[in-house]
Amino acid sequence: FDTGHAVSMTADCGAEVLVHVGLETVGLKGKFFKVHAKDGDHVKAGQLLIEFDPEGIKNAGYDLITPIVICNTDDFASVNPVAGGKVAAGDKIIGIEKK
């Protein structure tokens, strides 16, 4: 997403992943976000995709809850949360089992 408020990607296992920083943050039109990965890039675990200013977003009246969604769960035997709440870089957050 050019505005930097979200990123979508397809994992090597075929999972279509959406990470949406905050709620309704598309309304910021890119303010407080910096995009580091372009559409079509092949990215690796740990690579910086976007940066954002959490205080700026909060002060603008937006919630920072960041949903991470597997958009094609029907393609897998199971998709389960592994972690919830606050997580750190590198934490496993979703477990996916192929059919």
Side-chain angles (χ1 to χ4, degrees):
F1 295 82
D2 293 340
T3 57
H5 75 284
V7 62
S8 64
M9 63 197 96
T10 302
D12 290 338
C13 69
E16 297 170 0
V17 182
L18 171 67
V19 179
H20 195 288
V21 179
L23 302 178
E24 304 295 331
T25 50
V26 67
L28 291 169
K29 299 179 180 166
K31 186 175 181 182
F32 306 118
F33 294 94
K34 182 176 181 183
V35 178
H36 288 276
K38 298 183 304 295
D39 188 27
D41 284 356
H42 184 87
V43 298
K44 297 180 181 183
Q47 182 176 335
L48 182 61
L49 304 176
I50 56 176
E51 284 182 281
F52 58 93
D53 174 3
E55 290 304 314
I57 294 168
K58 281 193 263 183
N59 291 338
Y62 293 84
D63 193 321
L64 272 176
I65 290 173
T66 301
I68 301 172
V69 179
I70 306 301
C71 299
N72 60 333
T73 56
D74 289 344
D75 293 349
F76 300 94
S78 68
V79 177
N80 296 300
V82 175
K86 291 186 179 186
V87 294
D91 286 354
K92 184 175 179 179
I93 57 172
I94 298 173
I96 297 174
E97 183 181 329
K98 290 185 177 185
K99 285 186 176 179

